[in-house]
Structure formats: structure tokens, C-alpha cells
């Protein structure tokens, strides 16, 4: 089976203020919007594109291991947990997803022998998830290439720009969470 053709990169342009934009996205958003104000729609499209770019790089760095972003997030959290590991509920709260999602991700990590479920030594009803030695080895092998890739992706950004970028992205997350609560769609 031939490898899929890479997605063509958008042809970016620069506005009069020297800021990048995607003319194709701008045209699409102008046709979609009810007025000429497409800035928020273009920003959302740019966030999506940036997220997809980072995810593609992360997937490539996973060395074909097949770990999703969610599974990698859990493995990293388990790598930082104590020897007792974390419960499914703790992982779900930390990752901001449902316990059902975490259960499926833990299944994946167990199949890959990167994590395991263990009974809590003091509470037989409680199951905890711990990272395995193979999981620690996997993280160790993943760490340096990931740091190098992120350095390359953010090449030319100053520390202040990176701090501001992180802050703006997390403001989006906070706004989305507040909107979801207002609309009554909070996760359980």
C-alpha cells in the first residue's frame, strides 16, 4: 500500500502590519461570516492548524509506536506519579477527559506494555495505574527528540513570546470551559 501523499502546506501571506495569514482561510471565512469581521474565525483556524502541526510532529516522534496524544499524555503523567501510580479518576481529572476515555487509553498502554493496572495495597476496591519499566524506557527515548523538535518548531520565538503564546492558548481553554459550563455541557 503506498504511503499517503502529504497534505500541501497553505500558502501564507503577510498583511500590511507584517502578520502572517492564510489567504485561503480568509476567503473561506469571508464567505461564511455574516459580516466582514473574520479575525476570530481566522484565529480559530490558525490554532487548529498549529495544533495539527504539533500533533503530526509528535506522532512522527512516537516512532511508529502508535500512541495517540491522549495515551502519550497519560504515560507522561504516570511517569511523574509516585510508585503507587494514579487512579483512573485521577488521570481523568488531570487530563480533563472522562474516566471512560482514560480506561480506553490505559487499555492501549497496557497492550503496549507501557503501563499496568494494580490493586491498591490498602484498598482492594481501588485500582491504580502505574508506569512499567518499558514505559519509562519509552519516555526516556522519546524525551530528547521531542525537546529538539519543539525547539525547532518554536525557533525564533523569544522566551517572552513563548510565555505569551502559552498564556493566550490557555485563555482559549478557559474561555471554552466557561462557555461549555454556561451551555450546560460540562464533562462528568
Amino acid at each position: 500500500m503506498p504511503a499517503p501523499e502529504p497534505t500541501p502546506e497553505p500558502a501564507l501571506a503577510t498583511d500590511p502590519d507584517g502578520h502572517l495569514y492564510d489567504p485561503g482561510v480568509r476567503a473561506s471565512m469571508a464567505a461564511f461570516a455574516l459580516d466582514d469581521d473574520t479575525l476570530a474565525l481566522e484565529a480559530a483556524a490558525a490554532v487548529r492548524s498549529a495544533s495539527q502541526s504539533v500533533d503530526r510532529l509528535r506522532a512522527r516522534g512516537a516512532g511508529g509506536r502508535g500512541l495517540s496524544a491522549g495515551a502519550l499524555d497519560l504515560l507522561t503523567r504516570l511517569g511523574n506519579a509516585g510508585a503507587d501510580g494514579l487512579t483512573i479518576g485521577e488521570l481523568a481529572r488531570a487530563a480533563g477527559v472522562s474516566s471512560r476515555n482514560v480506561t480506553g487509553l490505559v487499555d492501549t498502554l497496557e497492550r503496549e506494555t507501557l503501563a499496568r493496572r494494580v490493586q491498591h495495597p490498602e484498598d482492594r476496591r481501588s485500582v491504580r495505574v502505574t508506569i512499567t519499566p518499558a514505559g519509562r524506557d519509552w519516555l526516556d527515548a522519546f524525551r530528547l527528540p521531542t525537546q529538539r523538535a519543539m525547539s525547532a518548531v518554536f525557533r525564533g520565538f523569544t522566551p517572552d513570546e513563548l510565555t505569551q503564546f502559552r498564556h493566550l492558548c490557555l485563555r482559549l481553554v478557559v474561555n471554552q470551559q466557561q462557555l461549555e459550563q454556561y451551555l450546560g455541557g460540562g464533562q462528568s
Side-chain angles (χ1 to χ4, degrees):
M1 176 189 241
E5 291 191 29
T7 306
E9 296 300 318
L12 300 179
T14 306
D15 69 16
D17 294 324
H19 297 110
L20 292 172
Y21 72 97
D22 184 329
V25 167
R26 182 166 286 176
S28 294
M29 295 302 113
F32 175 76
L34 298 175
D35 55 27
D36 290 336
D37 186 8
T38 63
L39 192 54
L41 296 171
E42 287 183 63
V47 167
R48 184 180 62 249
S49 293
S51 175
Q52 290 169 345
S53 294
V54 170
D55 279 347
R56 280 194 304 273
L57 191 58
R58 184 219 41 90
R60 178 178 224 159
R65 191 79 184 244
L67 289 189
S68 67
L72 179 57
D73 179 53
L74 292 189
L75 187 62
T76 303
R77 290 174 193 280
L78 291 171
N80 292 322
D84 287 340
L86 298 165
T87 66
I88 296 287
E90 289 168 337
L91 284 167
R93 282 186 294 283
V97 298
S98 71
S99 293
R100 182 181 202 155
N101 285 350
V102 168
T103 298
L105 294 170
V106 169
D107 289 344
T108 298
L109 292 173
E110 279 191 313
R111 270 193 309 276
E112 295 288 329
T113 69
L114 302 175
R116 69 176 168 259
R117 288 177 176 91
V118 295
Q119 270 190 318
H120 191 281
E122 296 153 15
D123 182 359
R124 292 181 42 207
R125 297 167 298 166
S126 178
V127 174
R128 302 191 68 83
V129 182
T130 61
I131 190 168
T132 63
R136 288 201 186 283
D137 291 345
W138 194 96
L139 280 178
D140 287 344
F142 187 71
R143 184 174 289 113
L144 187 56
T146 298
Q147 288 174 325
R148 287 180 178 156
M150 289 304 110
S151 291
V153 165
F154 289 103
R155 183 190 62 218
F157 284 63
T158 67
D160 286 343
E161 288 171 329
L162 287 172
T163 299
Q164 184 68 3
F165 183 70
R166 181 193 65 213
H167 172 74
L168 293 171
C169 288
L170 292 175
R171 277 182 54 195
L172 284 175
V173 170
V174 168
N175 287 350
Q176 181 277 328
Q177 289 170 341
Q178 289 173 343
L179 182 60
E180 192 169 301
Q181 271 187 326
Y182 175 78
L183 296 174
Q187 291 181 343
S188 54

